[in-house]
């Protein structure tokens, strides 16, 4: 210590610090954050302005009150009945997304548990990468796969299902035929595969954060591998799994082109059967905006887009509230 | 192992519990991580219904040795064991006993209290009993009360059994973990520095509890706290690292009083008098 002081090196020259660095950094990051909010608000304003003529002509709520979308019946003057009913699209989006969630969440949880807890360590990285790659497949490719591989594959099962259970009292309306292949069910399966990588990636992170001490506590009580998962890993991860599902749901609600290719684009009423053709909010927009020539047609598609934005925003807000509440419970 | 016998009623006196304590004999045990031995050549007999303390400086392999006694060591990736650990004369590493069964017979309490955060106090106590579906659904009030009484926690929590285990104080959480371990009716209880995360008064409470439960169980405790070893242990084993980079070795084992008053090895004397470690 004393020797260091004695040698008394010449003072090191230091470059003077630019005094405005802090301010510039703060302005830059603030501007970037503000930009994100501006984009969100501008999108909403744009949609509402474009949709406004149709909303004013038919009334704001009349769109949701009808499930018949018949642009050819629209005239410039008549406002009743509203030919642009969108309830069937809301129904289609809900049904396809719910099918996707019901299929994808359990599989994603299982895959993530395997990757974090069960798989041998040499397999974990490559397998995770492979699942992440699923997210890199363009959705139009998923659509093609859906039409030419998935639908032929599920046609026999779907046909049999509609023939056997399609006329039973309770399940009948949900599984009624005829089954042509293009359907809510096909769209739901394609969506499930598309959201699987997102949900898996988040669940993987969530499971990896469970403390070793929790797992060892279960182990020390005589838990088997499965019981460790049930006792220590899954309960701690409930909020994380919910969050992952919500993000997957957001993706599923907004997915457009793959769904448009396999759902059948039936717009004239609600098809209750999951084996029947339908349409979702994004699919009808993608399908019709290039040829929207009837009065208020394009404006009504904007109405669909505005409702879609509202619904996806609310799903995310609700999801976050759920996540926050369950997070507090486990804390 | 036979399923735990259903007690006829909650007992308030731990000494009336079924005598279950088992003996452990460690024979020429070497435990390693990724081929590097952490503790080597250990021979140690642990007598039933006694508290045996493992003391020694950090890195001397006390915790590793403890974790070999319920086969917990091997759950760490890269861990290996040679030699044997005899549980009532049966080698847990060669005999065809599943590690799961061993851990039901040899309970463990950790350094930090680890109640399951999403479970209530009641569910924490019953957690081990629900494993393997040994216990049907139901409230099992008698079992919960018995375990909590034995862990000295009953009077503090009896009115809030449905509250989350994480709401308790640190000392209470640790006693809840002890209750959880005892509810499984183990024969041996391993404690890995059970008081190091607790304040002095909670530490004394847990130490009193250890003296209680040794009447029924075999207790092995790892501790950094020499006074704690002197207070609770009947037998004390001293481990140390002979030289940097070498595995930990068992230096001396004997009655606690003798180890602290007239140690036979210089290394032991240096450690307990504060000259080394």
């Amino acid at each position: 210590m004393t020797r260091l002081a004695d040698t008394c090196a010449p003072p090191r020259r230091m470059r003077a610090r630019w005094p405005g660095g802090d301010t510039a950094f703060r302005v830059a990051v603030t501007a970037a954050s503000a930009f994100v909010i501006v984009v969100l608000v501008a999108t909403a304003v744009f949609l509402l302005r474009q949709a406004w003529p149709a909303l004013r002509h038919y009334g704001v709520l009349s769109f949701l009150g009808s499930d018949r979308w018949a642009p050819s019946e629209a005239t410039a003057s008549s406002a009743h009945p509203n030919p642009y009913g969108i309830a069937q699209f809301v129904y289609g989006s809900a049904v396809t997304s719910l099918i996707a969630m019901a299929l994808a969440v359990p599989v994603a949880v299982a895959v993530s548990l395997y990757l974090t807890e069960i798989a041998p360590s040499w397999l974990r990285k490559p397998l995770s990468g492979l699942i992440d790659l699923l997210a890199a497949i363009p959705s139009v490719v998923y659509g093609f796969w859906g039409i030419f591989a998935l639908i032929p594959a599920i046609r026999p099962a779907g046909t049999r299902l509609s023939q056997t259970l399609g006329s039973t009292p309770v399940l009948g309306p949900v599984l009624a035929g005829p089954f042509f292949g293009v359907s809510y069910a096909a769209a739901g399966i394609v969506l499930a595969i598309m959201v699987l990588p997102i949900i898996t990636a988040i669940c993987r992170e969530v499971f990896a954060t469970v403390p070793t001490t929790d797992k060892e506590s279960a182990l020390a009580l005589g838990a088997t591998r499965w019981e460790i998962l049930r006792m220590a890993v899954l309960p701690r991860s409930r909020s994380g799994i919910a969050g992952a599902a919500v993000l997957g749901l957001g993706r599923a609600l907004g997915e457009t082109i793959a769904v448009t290719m396999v759902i059948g684009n039936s717009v004239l009423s609600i098809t209750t059967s999951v084996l029947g053709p339908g349409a979702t909010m994004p699919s009808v927009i993608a399908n019709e905006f290039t040829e929207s020539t009837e009065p208020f047609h394009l404006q009504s598609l904007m109405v669909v887009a505005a409702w879609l934005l509202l619904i996806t925003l609310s799903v995310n807000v609700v999801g976050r509230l759920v996540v926050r509440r369950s997070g507090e419970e486990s804390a | 192992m036979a399923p735990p016998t259903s007690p006829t009623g909650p007992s308030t006196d731990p000494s009336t519990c079924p005598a279950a304590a088992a003996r452990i004999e460690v024979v020429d045990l070497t435990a390693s991580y990724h081929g590097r031995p952490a503790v080597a050549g250990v021979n140690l007999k642990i007598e039933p219904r006694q508290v045996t303390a493992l003391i020694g400086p950090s890195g001397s392999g006390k915790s590793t040795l403890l974790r070999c006694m319920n086969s917990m060591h091997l759950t760490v990736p890269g861990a290996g064991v040679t030699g044997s650990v005899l549980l009532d004369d049966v080698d847990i590493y060669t005999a065809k006993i599943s590690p799961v069964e061993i851990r039901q017979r040899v309970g463990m309490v950790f350094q930090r209290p680890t109640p399951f955060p999403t479970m209530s106090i009641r569910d924490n106590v019953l957690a081990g009993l629900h494993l393997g579906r040994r216990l049907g659904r139901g409230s099992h009030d008698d079992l919960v009360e018995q375990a909590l009484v034995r862990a000295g926690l009953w009077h503090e929590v009896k009115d809030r059994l449905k509250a989350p285990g994480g709401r308790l104080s640190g000392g209470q959480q640790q006693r809840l973990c002890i209750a959880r371990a005892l509810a499984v009716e183990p024969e041996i209880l391993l404690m890995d520095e059970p008081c190091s995360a607790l304040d002095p008064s909670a530490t004394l409470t847990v130490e009193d509890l250890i003296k209680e439960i040794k009447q029924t169980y075999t207790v092995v405790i790892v501790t950094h706290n020499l006074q704690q070893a002197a207070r609770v242990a009947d037998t004390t084993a001293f481990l140390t690292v002979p030289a940097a980079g070498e595995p930990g070795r068992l230096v001396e084992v004997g009655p606690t009083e003798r180890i602290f008053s007239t140690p036979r090895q210089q290394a032991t004397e240096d450690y307990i008098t504060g000259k080394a470690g």
Side-chain angles (χ1 to χ4, degrees):
Chain A
M1 288 301 281
T2 49
R3 276 187 56 198
L4 246 179
D6 289 345
T7 50
C8 196
R12 206 179 290 258
R13 276 182 56 84
M14 281 191 238
R15 212 149 49 94
R17 210 186 244 168
W18 177 50
D22 257 8
T23 317
F25 179 71
R26 198 175 60 236
V27 169
V29 293
T30 311
S33 320
F35 179 71
V36 174
I37 298 167
V38 167
V39 167
L40 183 65
V41 172
T43 309
V45 168
F46 160 82
L47 280 178
L48 283 177
R49 277 181 59 176
Q50 294 289 313
W52 183 244
L55 287 171
R56 197 180 51 190
H57 187 76
Y58 294 112
V60 175
L61 292 174
S62 67
F63 289 92
L64 281 176
S66 159
D67 67 348
R68 181 173 171 77
W69 179 270
S72 59
E73 294 166 12
T75 61
S77 53
S78 153
H80 296 285
N82 183 350
Y84 295 109
I86 64 169
Q88 72 279 37
F89 306 136
V90 177
Y91 178 84
S93 286
V95 168
T96 52
S97 302
L98 288 180
I99 294 173
M101 287 299 109
L103 295 176
V105 172
V107 175
V109 168
V111 170
S112 329
L113 285 177
Y114 179 74
L115 284 175
T116 52
E117 306 289 336
I118 312 274
S121 49
W122 58 267
L123 189 63
R124 292 182 188 189
K125 273 229 161 112
L127 203 56
S128 306
L130 218 57
I131 290 160
D132 291 341
L133 267 186
L134 281 180
I137 300 176
S139 59
V140 69
V141 175
Y142 274 114
F144 253 141
W145 175 82
I147 295 173
F148 294 110
L150 176 69
I151 287 178
I154 63 171
R155 190 173 281 128
T159 308
R160 174 159 314 165
L161 207 58
S162 66
Q163 282 165 352
T164 50
L165 294 174
S167 48
T168 50
V170 182
L171 287 173
V174 187
L175 295 171
F179 180 66
F180 298 115
V182 288
S183 57
Y184 294 125
I189 295 171
V190 169
L191 280 177
I193 297 167
M194 296 180 75
V195 299
L196 188 66
I198 305 174
I199 305 180
T200 306
I202 300 168
C203 286
R204 222 165 57 205
E205 298 293 316
V206 170
F207 296 151
T209 60
V210 173
T212 315
T213 51
D214 273 33
K215 289 185 242 171
E216 290 200 330
S217 303
L219 208 52
L221 289 170
T224 60
R225 240 173 186 188
W226 150 244
E227 286 166 336
I228 295 169
L229 302 183
R230 188 166 59 87
M231 186 175 271
V233 178
L234 285 176
R236 251 197 193 265
S237 309
R238 276 187 299 215
S239 57
I241 296 171
V246 167
L247 283 180
L249 184 62
R251 169 94 204 268
L253 283 172
E255 174 49 42
T256 307
I257 197 67
V259 171
T260 312
M261 291 165 84
V262 298
I263 201 170
N265 302 305
S266 154
V267 299
L268 286 173
S269 67
I270 287 178
T271 317
T272 51
S273 169
V274 297
L275 298 176
T280 66
M281 303 173 84
S283 82
V284 69
I285 299 171
N287 217 26
E288 297 195 5
F289 82 99
T290 50
E291 46 201 38
S292 47
T293 49
E294 311 295 339
F296 299 109
H297 194 170
L298 186 60
Q299 289 82 355
S300 298
L301 289 173
M302 293 289 180
V303 175
V304 177
W307 276 112
L308 180 61
L309 180 69
L310 186 69
I311 289 172
T312 46
L313 281 181
S314 347
V315 163
N316 273 290
V317 170
V318 169
R320 267 159 225 271
L321 289 178
V322 169
V323 170
R324 192 184 303 164
R325 223 187 49 196
S326 50
E328 279 164 8
E329 271 169 18
S330 67
Chain B
M1 179 190 140
T5 46
S6 183
T8 46
S11 121
T12 48
D13 179 5
S15 61
T16 63
C17 294
R23 174 199 309 268
I24 297 183
E25 193 173 344
V26 178
V27 183
D28 198 23
L29 186 90
T30 298
S32 58
Y33 295 100
H34 298 286
R36 280 178 61 110
V39 60
V42 175
N43 289 286
L44 177 65
K45 279 182 190 159
I46 288 163
E47 298 299 330
R49 278 180 228 147
Q50 282 198 0
V51 177
T52 302
L54 306 180
I55 61 169
S58 297
S60 57
K62 311 181 291 292
S63 290
T64 304
L65 175 58
L66 190 77
R67 290 166 63 91
C68 286
M69 294 179 191
N70 65 344
S71 192
M72 197 72 138
H73 175 64
L74 289 182
T75 62
V76 180
V81 168
T82 62
S84 47
V85 174
L86 306 177
L87 183 60
D88 273 348
D89 300 326
V90 181
D91 187 351
I92 65 172
Y93 287 112
T94 56
K96 288 190 174 131
I97 315 176
S98 76
V100 167
E101 191 193 320
I102 291 164
R103 292 185 203 116
Q104 284 166 2
R105 294 174 59 189
V106 186
M108 191 166 204
V109 174
F110 297 87
Q111 201 166 347
R112 298 198 155 273
T114 53
F116 296 117
T118 54
M119 290 186 196
S120 66
I121 293 172
R122 174 203 303 276
D123 291 341
N124 262 289
V125 173
L126 294 175
L129 289 171
H130 279 303
L131 293 172
R133 305 236 175 271
R134 285 183 292 163
L135 201 63
R137 286 189 182 280
S139 62
H140 301 289
D141 290 330
D142 49 341
L143 294 175
V144 174
E145 180 175 346
Q146 191 188 37
L148 287 170
V149 165
R150 266 189 263 167
L153 191 59
W154 174 247
H155 291 291
E156 291 158 65
V157 301
K158 63 182 175 190
D159 300 323
R160 46 177 174 150
L161 293 175
K162 285 181 182 160
R167 294 263 174 84
L168 299 173
S169 73
Q172 289 173 326
Q173 287 189 19
Q174 193 62 299
R175 280 180 282 148
L176 177 59
C177 291
I178 294 171
R180 181 174 70 186
L182 294 183
V184 188
E185 301 274 352
E187 297 158 44
I188 293 158
L189 190 62
L190 308 177
M191 308 180 100
D192 190 357
E193 296 186 45
C195 300
S196 65
L198 305 184
D199 65 47
S201 86
T203 298
L204 284 180
T205 314
V206 171
E207 285 178 7
D208 287 343
L209 173 58
I210 293 170
K211 289 177 206 159
E212 290 271 317
I213 58 183
K214 79 164 185 187
Q215 296 169 21
T216 322
Y217 304 94
T218 309
V219 179
V220 188
I221 179 171
V222 166
T223 179
H224 262 120
N225 181 335
L226 294 178
Q227 285 78 32
Q228 181 169 66
R231 283 192 297 261
V232 302
D234 303 291
T235 305
T236 295
F238 171 66
L239 287 85
T240 194
V241 189
E246 282 185 31
R249 299 265 173 192
L250 178 67
V251 176
E252 186 169 3
V253 59
T256 302
E257 252 170 56
R258 214 249 316 132
I259 291 280
F260 279 93
S261 58
T262 50
R264 289 181 185 149
Q265 303 289 328
Q266 190 60 39
T268 316
E269 185 174 341
D270 288 350
Y271 182 72
I272 59 176
T273 54
K275 283 186 201 153

